[in-house]
């Protein structure tokens, strides 16, 4: 057998294209998931029942369902709702935002809860409104406390994007299976894919660990 | 009626989608779903056995005094945590079997074996982390007290650190136990017809993927809620009175 690494070079354009799709998916999912997560985190701490219960139900529902099923579900549900076939990438993006926001939401809630009561009371007593307290106290202080956990979750999202594979979106893993179907060099191809993920995620978790140590 | 023979998601026109929830309970589909549900339970449970066994070993290694041992444990965890499970499953399914031999590669139950194994060794890395942090959260004084009464290292772990630390791990381990069933859905990508695989198959047969996927989602919810209930009961049973007021 022997290793034939030229298979990577020969198919670099397909793999690179897949990798770019992965990055795109990851970037949009993160950019959409974090703000929604902040809203969910706020909702989980809301004293208004009509906010708290629906938000909690949404979070508990999504967190008990496999991501793979959410990806499928949204993919099959969207055409029913919209009446159009909206394509794989938008569908995957929505699925990841809907899913990852719940994980972000729970992390962020913990961050908000770590803000001391006194700080909040002090803010209110200076005459700030709820929105101002949220904007200037809760989010800056609470979010900063959970940056390491958010980083870890971000790495998880990066890995999770590989699941768009199941709806046929040609992201990195799908692209590699396309190449493998042609070349039948699974060791080199999947080994390469694993290595790329490993290097990126290791770098990410090293940064996250360092942030955590600095925080303590 | 709508044309058949297209991909399920593409088969929409201006008339809208006709729901048919009957596919969930009709023959033979309800049998497929039930079969998939049971397979998911089996897949998750056996992998969980592997994950717990390996995870406890790796997690314990990570708390040992020897530096090399800790490095090996850390390498294991970092390796499995930083590669997507999907890629790992492909590796176990497409790369490893031909290396072992043709007799193995041609085994009928190969997807099953590799899914259980892959899911197990992956989850072990996560269990190991919870186990390690559980063991590390046992106060130093307990460790010193144990050693000063003349316990050996093995006895220290067996009688003090593991029983004590294990209780602290119950909440995160519960989450992991839930996660393994959710992650087991990935087994469909290497050809295991568990709950998600069956629901997908029903979708391709009936063009009612939305309904069949919904049924599977309910199946996963059932599993998740039962585990939460069960582990709450376990936590209550194992509680040391006056200690660990976790809830």
């Amino acid at each position: 057998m022997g290793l034939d690494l030229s298979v990577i070079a020969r198919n670099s354009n397909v793999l690179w294209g897949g990798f770019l799709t992965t990055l795109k998916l990851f970037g949009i999912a993160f950019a959409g998931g974090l703000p929604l997560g902040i809203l969910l985190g706020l909702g989980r701490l809301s004293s208004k029942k009509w906010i708290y219960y629906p938000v909690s139900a949404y979070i508990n529902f999504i967190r008990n369902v496999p991501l793979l099923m959410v990806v499928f579900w949204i993919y099959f549900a969207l055409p029913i709702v919209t009446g159009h076939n909206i394509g794989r990438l938008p569908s995957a993006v929505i699925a990841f935002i809907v899913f990852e926001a719940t994980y972000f939401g729970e992390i962020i809630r913990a961050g908000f809860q770590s803000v001391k009561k006194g700080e909040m009371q002090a803010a209110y007593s200076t005459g700030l409104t709820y929105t101002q307290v949220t904007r200037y106290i809760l989010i800056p202080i609470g979010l900063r406390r959970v940056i390491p956990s958010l980083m870890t979750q971000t790495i998880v999202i990066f890995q999770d994007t590989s699941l768009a594979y199941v709806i046929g979106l040609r992201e990195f893993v799908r692209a590699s299976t396309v190449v493998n179907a042609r070349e039948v060099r699974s060791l080199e191809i999947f080994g390469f894919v694993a290595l790329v993920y490993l290097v990126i995620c290791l770098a990410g978790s090293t940064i996250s660990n360092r942030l955590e140590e600095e925080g303590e | 009626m709508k044309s058949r023979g297209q991909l399920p998601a593409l088969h929409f026109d201006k008339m809208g989608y006709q729901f048919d929830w009957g596919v969930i309970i009709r023959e033979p589909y309800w049998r497929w779903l039930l079969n998939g549900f049971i397979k998911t339970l089996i897949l998750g449970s056996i992998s969980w056995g592997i994950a717990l066994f390996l995870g406890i070993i790796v997690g314990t290694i990570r708390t040992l005094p020897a530096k090399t041992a800790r490095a090996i444990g850390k390498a294991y965890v970092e390796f499995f945590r930083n590669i997507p499970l999907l890629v790992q499953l492909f590796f176990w399914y497409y790369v490893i079997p031909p290396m072992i031999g043709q007799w193995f590669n041609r085994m009928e139950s190969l997807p099953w074996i590799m899914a259980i194994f892959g899911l197990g060794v992956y989850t072990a890395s996560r269990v190991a982390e919870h186990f390690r942090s559980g063991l590390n959260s046992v106060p130093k004084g307990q460790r010193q007290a144990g050693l000063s009464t003349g316990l050996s290292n093995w006895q220290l772990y067996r009688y003090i650190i593991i029983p004590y630390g294990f209780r602290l791990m119950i909440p995160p381990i519960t989450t992991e136990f839930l996660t393994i069933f959710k992650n087991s859905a990935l087994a469909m990508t290497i050809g295991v017809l568990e709950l998600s695989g069956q629901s997908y198959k029903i979708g391709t047969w009936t063009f009612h993927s939305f309904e069949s996927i919904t049924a599977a989602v309910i199946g996963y919810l059932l599993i998740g809620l039962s585990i939460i209930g069960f582990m709450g009961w376990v936590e209550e049973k194992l509680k040391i009175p006056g200690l660990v007021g976790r809830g």
Side-chain angles (χ1 to χ4, degrees):
Chain A
M1 280 260 293
L3 276 179
D4 175 17
L5 290 172
S6 67
V7 74
I8 307 296
R10 244 182 292 140
N11 295 287
S12 55
N13 54 341
V14 179
L15 292 171
W16 178 243
F19 186 69
L20 285 183
T21 306
T22 290
L23 284 186
K24 204 189 294 175
L25 188 56
F26 164 72
I28 310 173
F30 177 77
L34 192 61
L36 185 57
I38 293 175
L39 289 180
L40 291 177
L42 288 173
R44 284 280 273 172
L45 296 174
S46 174
S47 53
K48 297 187 181 75
K49 278 188 177 148
W50 60 272
I51 296 178
Y52 173 78
Y53 283 110
V55 167
S56 304
Y58 165 60
I59 288 178
N60 287 327
F61 173 68
I62 296 288
R63 284 172 67 102
N64 272 302
V65 175
L67 172 58
L68 186 117
M69 298 313 276
V70 177
V71 171
F72 269 139
W73 215 30
I74 303 258
Y75 181 61
F76 291 119
L78 278 178
I80 298 176
V81 177
T82 62
H84 300 282
N85 190 27
I86 68 157
R88 297 192 168 98
L89 184 63
S91 161
V93 161
I94 294 172
F96 284 113
I97 292 177
V98 161
F99 185 83
E100 305 294 354
T102 63
Y103 285 81
F104 274 142
E106 286 297 88
I107 294 171
I108 291 168
R109 176 183 62 119
F112 288 163
Q113 279 174 326
S114 78
V115 178
K116 289 198 182 69
K117 260 217 168 105
E119 282 176 284
M120 299 284 287
Q121 286 162 346
Y124 277 118
S125 68
T126 59
L128 295 185
T129 64
Y130 174 78
T131 325
Q132 286 170 322
V133 169
T134 305
R135 164 76 185 77
Y136 296 108
I137 311 288
L138 208 51
I139 292 182
I141 297 176
L143 221 52
R144 199 164 301 162
R145 294 239 167 90
V146 288
I147 285 177
S149 308
L150 289 176
M151 280 284 292
T152 308
Q153 186 58 32
T154 306
I155 298 167
V156 171
I157 296 182
F158 185 68
Q159 296 186 22
D160 278 350
T161 57
S162 62
L163 285 190
Y165 163 90
V166 297
I167 57 168
L169 178 71
R170 203 182 274 196
E171 41 66 68
F172 196 35
V173 178
R174 187 56 128 183
S176 74
T177 59
V178 169
V179 171
N180 187 42
R182 197 165 50 210
E183 302 273 2
V184 200
R185 279 282 174 186
S186 49
L187 173 60
E188 292 86 342
I189 295 165
F190 292 135
F192 174 71
V193 172
L195 191 68
V196 170
Y197 276 108
L198 186 64
V199 168
I200 294 175
C201 298
L202 260 182
S205 63
T206 309
I207 296 171
S208 147
N209 285 341
R210 196 150 302 162
L211 284 176
E212 198 160 7
E213 279 161 21
E214 273 173 22
E216 275 163 6
Chain B
M1 275 311 287
K2 292 180 198 94
S3 60
R4 297 181 76 87
Q6 291 175 349
L7 273 175
L10 299 174
H11 129 96
F12 302 100
D13 51 34
K14 294 267 165 9
M15 296 296 289
Y17 183 82
Q18 304 287 321
F19 284 102
D20 180 11
W21 293 99
V23 296
I24 294 170
I25 47 169
R26 215 172 291 145
E27 284 282 4
Y29 306 125
W30 71 269
R31 270 179 211 284
W32 293 5
L33 282 172
L34 183 66
N35 183 284
F37 185 75
I38 293 167
K39 279 189 178 152
T40 289
L41 290 180
I42 296 172
L43 183 60
S45 309
I46 302 179
S47 316
W48 181 246
I50 297 175
L52 212 53
F53 179 73
L54 256 179
I56 289 174
I57 293 176
V58 175
T60 311
I61 285 177
R62 289 204 68 182
T63 65
L64 291 180
K67 242 191 174 152
T68 1
R70 285 211 305 264
I72 293 172
K74 189 169 162 60
Y76 181 95
V77 170
E78 295 295 348
F79 184 80
F80 284 101
R81 274 215 316 194
N82 287 311
I83 298 173
L85 177 56
L86 183 69
V87 178
Q88 292 186 26
L89 287 180
F90 283 173
F91 217 85
W92 294 123
Y93 185 62
Y94 293 110
V95 181
I96 303 298
M99 290 178 172
I100 295 177
Q102 276 311 313
W103 62 272
F104 187 70
N105 202 16
R106 292 207 186 102
M107 263 172 84
E108 209 182 313
S109 48
L110 188 66
W112 261 96
I113 297 171
M114 286 334 224
I116 288 173
F117 181 74
L119 204 53
V121 294
Y122 169 77
T123 310
S125 69
R126 302 166 57 107
V127 170
E129 278 303 89
H130 296 309
F131 203 78
R132 177 183 69 111
S133 62
L135 294 188
N136 282 346
S137 62
V138 174
K140 262 224 167 95
Q142 296 271 342
R143 207 180 258 265
Q144 289 159 345
L147 287 175
S148 70
T149 57
L151 294 183
S152 67
N153 225 342
W154 162 251
Q155 285 171 324
L156 180 73
Y157 271 90
R158 167 70 188 78
Y159 294 108
I160 297 182
I161 295 181
I162 291 180
Y164 195 151
F166 200 76
R167 287 172 171 84
L168 297 171
M169 292 166 214
I170 289 175
I173 292 281
T174 305
T175 314
E176 230 35 80
F177 188 41
L178 270 167
T179 309
I180 204 168
F181 286 99
K182 291 192 281 177
N183 281 339
S184 75
L186 264 68
M188 73 168 276
T189 61
I190 58 169
V192 179
L193 280 175
E194 35 63 77
L195 186 53
S196 63
Q198 293 284 16
S199 71
Y200 186 74
K201 186 174 150 201
I202 294 171
T204 57
W205 278 54
T206 64
F207 300 100
H208 282 283
S209 299
F210 181 74
E211 290 88 331
S212 62
I213 300 278
T214 306
V217 164
I218 294 169
Y220 283 107
L221 277 180
L222 278 178
I223 295 175
L225 295 177
S226 333
I227 292 171
I228 293 172
F230 175 69
M231 292 307 272
W233 178 79
V234 169
E235 194 173 358
E236 191 59 34
K237 280 274 154 195
L238 292 177
K239 205 159 68 183
I240 304 174
L243 197 79
V244 204
R246 277 238 187 183

